Amino acid sequence: WSRAKNYEPYLTDELTQPMLELPFAPGHTWNYTGGPHEVWGEGSPLAALDFAPVGVKNCDLTNEWITTSAPGLVIRSEGAMVMIDLDGDGYEQTGWVLFYLHVAANERVPAGTYLEINERIGHPSCEGGNATGTHVHIARKYNGEWILAGGALPFNLSGWEAREGSAPYQGTLIKNEQVIKANTVSSFETRITR
């Protein structure tokens, strides 16, 4: 009870997301294939977004690279996932952490590597979990908790803000007057250039 009396809100109005870039190289064009959806299995928070390289069919291999959205320390690199700790203290439970899933084992960055922004993490794939096409799944944590992609603190990548749709995967990205609606088919309308 004494701890409850002194409870401070976990997320405050002052909390802001650090500057983050889209998870692929500048000048490249990918497809926005998944609006806010479950980050880790059915029933988990709608904290993840999906991006797929243009022209890659099904689960084909690609030479495209997933790049870091912000500088940080790779604290996990296993099982098709990479976790990057932005405050560099080595703990997922403190500060901001970025989670990348479906990162191919071949040429994936090893744990313990410090990456600057835009450095290569690995290639998008279908490895690790359910995937119907080659892509990267990206999500954010703050102090160990998933942050909703389309919630009160929307995921912002290169100025594109995520908004939830009428169902998981069907959300949008909005920047100024531009709106891109996610589509798992990777249609022309879902293309986004960094």
Side-chain angles (χ1 to χ4, degrees), residues 10-188:
Y10 173 71
L11 298 176
T12 66
D13 292 338
E14 292 80 35
L15 181 64
T16 58
Q17 174 201 279
M19 179 75 77
L20 300 177
E21 297 294 340
L22 287 162
F24 48 89
H28 287 234
T29 300
W30 285 35
N31 293 103
Y32 179 46
T33 57
H37 66 282
E38 291 87 356
V39 70
W40 194 260
E42 192 173 326
S44 66
L46 302 180
L49 303 175
D50 291 344
F51 297 91
V54 170
V56 177
K57 298 193 184 317
N58 302 316
C59 288
D60 290 348
L61 300 176
T62 179
N63 289 326
E64 285 288 326
W65 289 91
I66 302 163
T67 59
T68 55
S69 295
L73 176 66
V74 178
I75 53 176
R76 259 203 282 171
S77 181
E78 60 192 13
M81 73 176 106
V82 172
M83 298 286 276
I84 298 181
D85 177 20
L86 302 191
D87 67 13
D89 68 0
Y91 295 103
E92 282 183 49
Q93 303 84 355
T94 60
W96 287 96
V97 174
L98 296 178
F99 170 68
Y100 300 84
L101 181 63
H102 306 301
V103 183
N106 183 40
E107 299 186 282
R108 184 174 58 226
V109 66
T113 305
Y114 188 88
L115 296 173
E116 296 296 340
I117 195 163
N118 299 325
E119 286 198 85
R120 295 172 171 179
I121 294 172
H123 300 286
S125 73
C126 286
E127 294 175 30
N130 296 328
T132 58
T134 296
H135 72 287
V136 63
H137 168 104
I138 183 172
R140 314 165 292 173
K141 280 184 171 185
Y142 180 72
N143 286 348
E145 298 288 334
W146 298 112
I147 303 298
L148 296 176
L153 186 58
F155 217 145
N156 185 315
L157 295 163
S158 301
W160 291 92
E161 282 195 0
R163 297 284 187 264
E164 288 185 11
S166 57
Y169 291 94
Q170 296 180 4
T172 57
L173 286 178
I174 300 172
K175 183 176 185 179
N176 302 322
E177 301 298 316
Q178 297 175 288
V179 178
I180 299 175
K181 186 172 173 42
N183 188 327
T184 57
V185 177
S186 294
S187 62
F188 181 79

